[in-house]
Amino acid sequence: MALQKNKSLRNIYLADDDDDDRTLFVEALQEVDSTAVLTQAEDGKQLLEILHGDPDPLPEVIFLDINMPKIGGFECLAQIKQHTNLKKLPIIMLSTSSDPVTIDKALELGATVYAVKPSSFDGLKTLIKNVLQMDWISIQQNKKRTRLE
């Protein structure tokens, strides 16, 4: 889907190197919110290139896979959080891992939410729906970080 300038549409970004995971995400997002505009990146390097191109509008939320080639999710997250115009963007870290060390690292680096990748399509739709209903302003003001499974 192309990036559109219409600020009333929800702009969602997804960085994931797995083609199948991206396809499932597209389908789930379409069922949850068919008006959302999704910008996809195949890895952290491509996501950073898109973000450093000063997209207008900025994404409402970024779904960021942890294990990717070139620039992985942790490094990408750290770079986003160091950028003045990007550091307040809500970032949902996605991983198949529920290891507490991985979760703690993601949250310490500034992830807004850590989510274990759902094993079903309905689970993915529920995750996306829950994320899109979050009150980002309240979460940022309270510096609250959370984990979804």
Side-chain angles (χ1 to χ4, degrees):
M1 288 181 221
L3 183 64
Q4 297 178 7
K5 299 279 181 184
N6 187 337
K7 294 184 190 271
S8 66
L9 295 176
R10 302 188 92 157
N11 285 286
I12 312 298
Y13 282 28
L14 170 67
D16 195 322
D17 63 313
D18 187 297
D19 289 338
D20 293 336
D21 285 353
R22 284 197 316 275
T23 299
L24 280 176
F25 191 95
V26 168
E27 292 170 5
L29 179 60
Q30 281 294 304
E31 288 192 25
V32 171
D33 183 351
S34 62
T35 65
V37 176
L38 180 66
T39 299
Q40 300 178 56
E42 295 180 6
D43 55 52
K45 182 177 186 293
Q46 187 178 37
L47 175 65
L48 290 169
E49 288 169 356
I50 293 167
L51 290 171
H52 291 309
D54 293 323
D56 181 28
L58 285 171
E60 176 182 332
V61 63
I62 298 171
F63 288 85
L64 181 59
D65 185 34
I66 290 179
N67 295 313
M68 295 184 292
K70 296 181 184 171
I71 296 179
F74 287 139
E75 184 181 342
C76 185
L77 172 63
Q79 288 189 38
I80 290 169
K81 292 301 177 180
Q82 291 174 359
H83 194 282
T84 307
N85 296 335
L86 305 175
K87 66 182 174 185
K88 291 188 177 181
L89 290 176
I91 299 180
I92 314 307
M93 295 301 288
L94 293 171
S95 177
T96 54
S97 174
S98 58
D99 176 34
V101 174
T102 303
I103 295 167
D104 289 346
K105 182 175 181 179
L107 297 176
E108 286 170 13
L109 286 171
T112 313
V113 173
Y114 183 96
V116 175
K117 285 185 179 181
S119 58
S120 71
F121 185 71
D122 285 340
L124 181 57
K125 286 193 328 187
T126 299
L127 170 65
I128 293 170
K129 183 178 179 184
N130 288 341
V131 166
L132 295 182
Q133 291 176 346
M134 289 183 167
D135 179 357
W136 299 117
I137 294 170
S138 172
I139 290 170
Q140 287 175 342
Q141 287 174 342
N142 297 322
K143 296 194 184 329
K144 181 181 169 190
R145 305 280 184 230
T146 191
R147 168 183 164 181
L148 295 174
E149 285 190 70

